[in-house]
Amino acid sequence: MNTLLLSTANDLFWLGRYMQRSMKLQARLFIHKDTDAHHYLQLMGIEIPTECDDPENFIRTRKLPYYFEMINNNVQTIRGVIDKDAYQLFTDVTRLRQNGSLRAACFQLYACRQAMNAQEGWVKVFWKLGEAVEKLDEHIRFGDCSAQHFRNVAALATALPLGTVWDNLKQPSQAMVFTMDQSLFPQWLAQLDQIFEVGI
């Protein structure tokens, strides 16, 4: 597999996180309606302005547009390592959002997700790592995480390049699977962030 710049790997990782966050936010609040907006934002650690008396509107007008902007920024920096079909799908997301069709843009992310799953090599690994980390983070916050959520993160951490500082993440990720100790996750995530920040 071809190597990636660390900055590109970081952008792929955050693309996976922001995509998952946006899709889940849309699904929980506006499709399944399985929680109220204020409670969701509290669990996710998202601060609501004190003057805000309509959390759902805050999500529609502030949080989702922000996440979509971050997705677009990540896509622009990784466009050289994803295929043309995937890039076109993300371009459609931006077009829908700019046309005021935020709901349609959210649904378009599912097509983007399929396209990213079709990528190869480290591109797919780092993107999927971001997605898996975001899923685990959310399920921990909502108190319904399972061993499978830990296993998904550990499998991807184990797949990272051998013989590098990435190796430092592998044993701790396996430890999370065996112990199901949720307190290990913030420590592991901080270590991952440190690698992205400082470099290999």
Side-chain angles (χ1 to χ4, degrees), residues 25-189:
L25 187 61
Q26 167 77 2
R28 278 190 183 270
L29 294 175
F30 304 125
I31 300 176
H32 305 306
K33 298 183 182 294
D34 60 352
T35 189
D36 67 83
H38 193 274
H39 182 59
Y40 182 95
L41 293 174
Q42 282 186 324
L43 287 174
M44 293 305 293
I46 299 172
E47 291 188 15
I48 308 172
T50 54
E51 70 276 10
C52 177
D53 58 1
D54 187 348
E56 289 193 9
N57 185 62
F58 172 72
I59 292 168
R60 286 192 180 96
T61 61
R62 299 276 293 279
K63 293 314 297 182
L64 278 174
Y66 169 75
Y67 292 147
F68 274 104
E69 189 62 33
M70 298 306 294
I71 288 170
N72 182 61
N73 290 344
N74 289 141
V75 168
Q76 295 310 313
T77 60
I78 64 155
R79 62 182 300 179
V81 299
I82 60 175
D83 61 38
K84 292 180 179 179
D85 289 340
Y87 183 71
Q88 182 57 55
L89 289 170
F90 281 112
T91 300
D92 292 341
V93 169
T94 300
R95 176 181 54 79
L96 288 167
R97 178 174 61 87
Q98 291 175 343
N99 289 340
S101 302
L102 190 61
R103 186 168 181 265
C106 286
F107 289 137
Q108 180 70 10
L109 283 180
Y110 288 90
C112 294
R113 183 177 186 273
Q114 293 301 314
M116 290 304 295
N117 268 316
Q119 303 305 300
E120 298 180 350
W122 300 124
V123 171
K124 181 177 179 178
V125 170
F126 280 102
W127 173 79
K128 284 188 70 67
L129 179 62
E131 181 184 60
V133 163
E134 185 65 27
K135 286 181 179 179
L136 175 57
D137 185 39
E138 182 189 20
H139 284 285
I140 287 175
R141 289 174 183 272
F142 276 79
D144 60 359
C145 68
S146 68
Q148 187 60 51
H149 296 118
F150 286 103
R151 281 195 292 268
N152 290 342
V153 169
L156 289 159
T158 303
L160 292 174
L162 291 169
T164 67
V165 72
W166 297 113
D167 288 343
N168 296 332
L169 297 173
K170 297 177 182 182
Q171 191 279 329
S173 71
Q174 294 294 337
M176 288 192 292
V177 176
F178 291 120
T179 64
M180 288 285 289
D181 183 352
Q182 297 177 12
S183 69
L184 296 177
F185 177 63
Q187 302 169 31
W188 182 88
L189 190 56

